[in-house]
């Protein structure tokens, strides 16, 4: 499969990472380098229409772009794995540094501890700063300064940020952590698989049944916005034919349906049922199910039905997740209705999320904590993602020959 990948990162890493990407047949890598990670968002915005997928050289620029909402194509980042840490430790030891007294940023604390313990290195004198949203280069620099000034001061600062390294190396022994070739190859393969799956999903058939008494001349214009066509189905119901990609884009990732609001301004009754299937027959069956549920919701409602008994409420006369109770908390029954997951299960997911803090959760971790099968956890997390209540943050190797584990950040 041929694919054009935008490689985003500091100028001293982009060429090496892009070269590894181009080892894969059919891959064309566009080198998009910056002087400071804050420039990553602008680079993505400027080249959004010229690449099919994004590969970031680290989690920091990826997170900045994801939070800015500029990632409209499949995207991932090169993870700094245990192999990367071990390579760094060998070089530090060769240069005479004590690897049991160092400060490390960005890499998750659990990964650092596990890698060091497996290598037989004491961890009592090691200080870590796991990356979290909102952490800036200045925060990273100050972390290393505090670690060096501490009662058991560290001897060397290991940083993943080029901008931080440029400051630290003038003040103390500092080492720049860069991704291993193995980590890059893993990320590229995962990205290509994601992009291929996305292309297949975007081509899936979507049929929409629009119940609109009296009709509306503007319905054809709405269909054009969805790159589709419209025809009368039966009576006051119209058939809208399109594919997954345009619907996903127009609905903001299956979270709302502006078309319904515009039609509702002119009609008292507007109900829409979308069915997303692998064939026209399957899509029509799902569209009928979606329209039936929209009717139960009220006079103005839109529902998207997918395979596997998953329904997503796009719009409803019943207030959705943006509404707050008097206590300021989101009403779980409304969310449960929207994503098709019981209130009890949502409460358990919230508890799992709170226990994890800001760390992402893999499908295996969710399955273990909820005591359900992994495929059930994948289905629940996928529904939350469709409803804008969870986001994918990357993939981790499962440690077996099976599929990589997808990591999610739940935002209930």
């Amino acid at each position: 499969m041929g694919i054009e990948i935008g490689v985003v990162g500091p100028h001293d890493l982009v060429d090496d990472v892009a070269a590894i990407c181009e080892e894969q047949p059919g891959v064309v890598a566009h080198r998009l380098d910056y002087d400071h990670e804050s420039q990553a968002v602008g680079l993505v915005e400027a080249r959004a229409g010229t690449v099919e997928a994004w590969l970031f050289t680290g989690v920091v620029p990826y997170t900045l772009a994801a939070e800015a909402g500029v990632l409209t194509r499949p995207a991932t980042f090169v993870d700094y794995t245990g192999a990367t840490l071990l390579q760094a430790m060998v070089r530090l030891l060769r240069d005479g540094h004590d690897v049991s007294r160092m400060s490390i940023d960005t890499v998750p604390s659990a990964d650092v501890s596990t890698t060091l313990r497996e290598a037989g290195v004491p961890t009592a004198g090691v200080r870590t700063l796991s990356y979290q949203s909102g952490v800036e280069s200045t925060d990273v620099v100050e972390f290393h300064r505090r670690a060096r000034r501490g009662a058991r001061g560290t001897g060397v600062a290991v940083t993943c940020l080029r901008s931080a390294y440029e400051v630290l190396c003038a003040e103390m022994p500092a080492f720049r952590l860069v991704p291993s070739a193995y980590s890059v190859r893993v990320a590229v393969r995962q990205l290509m698989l994601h992009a291929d799956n996305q292309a297949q999903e975007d081509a899936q058939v979507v049929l929409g049944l629009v119940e609109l008494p009296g009709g509306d001349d503007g319905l054809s214009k709405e269909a054009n916005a969805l790159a589709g066509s419209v025809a009368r189905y039966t009576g006051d119901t119209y058939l809208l034919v399109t594919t997954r990609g345009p619907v996903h884009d127009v609905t903001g990732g299956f979270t709302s349906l502006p078309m319904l609001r515009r039609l509702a301004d002119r009609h008292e009754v507007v109900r829409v049922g979308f069915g997303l299937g692998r064939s026209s027959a399957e899509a029509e069956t799902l569209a009928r199910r979606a329209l039936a549920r929209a009717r139960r919701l009220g006079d103005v409602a839109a529902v998207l039905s997918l395979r596997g008994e998953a329904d997503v409420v796009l719009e409803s006369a019943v207030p959705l997740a943006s509404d707050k109770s008097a206590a300021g908390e989101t009403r779980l029954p409304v969310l449960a209705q929207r994503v098709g997951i019981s209130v009890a299960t949502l409460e358990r997911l919230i508890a799992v999320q709170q226990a994890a803090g800001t760390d992402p959760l893999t499908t295996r971790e969710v399955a273990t904590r909820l005591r359900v099968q992994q495929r059930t956890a994948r289905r629940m997390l996928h529904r939350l993602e469709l409803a804008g209540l969870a986001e994918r943050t990357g993939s981790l190797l499962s440690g077996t020959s099976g599929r990589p584990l997808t990591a999610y950040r739940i935002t209930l």
Side-chain angles (χ1 to χ4, degrees):
M1 180 190 75
I3 184 173
E4 296 192 33
I5 296 176
V7 180
V8 181
H11 60 75
D12 59 342
L13 289 184
V14 163
D15 278 341
D16 290 342
V17 172
I20 296 172
C21 290
E22 291 174 334
E23 292 175 358
Q24 299 289 331
V27 172
V28 176
H30 296 268
R31 293 156 171 81
L32 307 174
D33 59 271
Y34 55 69
D35 294 318
H36 192 278
E37 55 272 4
S38 61
Q39 298 169 332
V41 174
L43 287 173
V44 172
E45 288 181 312
R47 299 296 295 273
T50 62
V51 302
E52 299 169 78
W54 296 103
L55 179 64
F56 295 83
T57 61
V59 64
V60 176
Y62 168 83
T63 302
L64 292 174
E67 292 182 343
V70 297
L71 297 179
T72 58
R73 304 286 185 180
T76 191
F77 59 89
V78 182
D79 212 355
Y80 288 60
T81 62
T84 304
L85 285 175
L86 287 173
Q87 288 179 4
M89 287 166 57
V90 170
R91 294 185 59 183
L92 288 169
L93 287 169
R94 186 184 61 195
D95 293 340
H97 295 289
D98 182 358
V99 295
S100 67
R101 292 179 53 250
M102 58 183 177
S103 52
I104 305 176
D105 65 59
T106 305
V107 182
S109 301
D111 291 354
V112 175
S113 299
T114 300
T115 301
L116 295 181
R117 282 198 300 268
E118 290 178 350
V121 176
T123 59
V126 176
R127 302 291 177 263
T128 58
L129 177 69
S130 301
Y131 178 72
Q132 297 181 8
S133 175
V135 172
E136 298 181 354
S137 178
T138 53
D139 301 316
V140 171
V141 170
E142 188 56 35
F143 155 73
H144 289 287
R145 287 171 176 164
R146 289 195 307 270
R148 188 168 178 80
R149 294 193 303 262
R152 301 181 62 183
T154 53
V156 60
V158 179
T159 181
C160 297
L161 293 183
R162 178 179 176 273
S163 57
Y165 174 76
E166 291 177 342
V167 176
L168 293 168
C169 65
E171 302 180 12
M172 64 186 77
F175 182 85
R176 173 85 178 287
L177 197 64
V178 298
S180 65
Y182 170 78
S183 298
V184 176
R185 293 188 183 103
V186 169
V188 173
R189 287 195 291 269
Q190 291 175 349
L191 183 61
M192 292 179 68
L193 180 62
H194 186 192
D196 185 42
N197 289 341
Q198 186 68 62
Q200 293 182 29
E201 286 181 356
D202 284 348
Q204 285 183 305
V205 178
V206 173
L207 294 183
L209 294 177
V210 184
E211 193 171 83
L212 194 62
D216 192 306
D217 293 338
L219 191 55
S220 295
K221 182 179 179 180
E222 300 292 353
N224 290 336
L226 290 169
S229 59
V230 67
R232 187 178 293 276
Y233 187 68
T234 57
D236 290 327
T237 303
Y238 298 82
L239 177 66
L240 195 156
V241 182
T242 183
T243 55
R244 181 189 188 280
V247 175
H248 181 275
D249 293 341
V250 169
T251 60
F254 305 136
T255 59
S256 64
L257 186 62
M259 175 184 86
L260 184 76
R261 304 172 198 169
R262 289 190 290 268
L263 291 173
D265 287 340
R266 303 190 293 271
H267 301 271
E268 292 184 0
V269 176
V270 187
R271 302 185 184 102
V272 181
F274 282 117
L276 193 159
R278 295 179 181 177
S279 66
S280 297
E282 181 182 45
E284 182 177 1
T285 299
L286 292 171
R288 287 174 178 271
R289 187 178 86 192
L291 182 59
R293 182 170 180 189
R295 287 169 178 159
R296 293 194 298 272
L297 289 174
D299 291 339
V300 177
V303 175
L304 169 71
S305 288
L306 304 93
R307 304 174 75 244
E309 303 299 320
D311 292 341
V312 177
V313 179
L314 300 175
E315 299 281 350
S316 172
V318 178
L320 293 179
S322 60
D323 287 327
K324 308 289 180 179
S325 66
E329 298 177 350
T330 304
R331 292 184 295 180
L332 287 184
V334 176
L335 289 179
Q337 179 191 62
R338 178 173 183 174
V339 300
I341 297 176
S342 71
V343 172
T345 300
L346 287 180
E347 289 174 340
R348 294 169 65 196
L349 279 168
I350 290 173
V352 169
Q353 167 196 320
Q354 291 172 338
T358 58
D359 293 336
L361 291 159
T362 66
T363 47
R364 177 183 293 169
E365 289 171 329
V366 172
T368 300
R369 298 188 190 191
L370 295 185
R371 297 181 181 179
V372 298
Q373 294 186 351
Q374 199 164 319
R375 64 173 177 268
T376 302
R378 275 197 299 269
R379 185 165 61 247
M380 288 191 297
L381 289 167
H382 181 56
R383 292 185 184 185
L384 291 176
E385 182 185 19
L386 289 174
L389 300 171
E391 61 172 335
R392 301 189 194 193
T393 62
S395 299
L396 302 174
L397 293 180
S398 63
T400 68
S401 59
R403 70 168 74 180
L405 298 172
T406 303
Y408 289 86
R409 181 171 286 109
I410 301 173
T411 56
L412 278 167

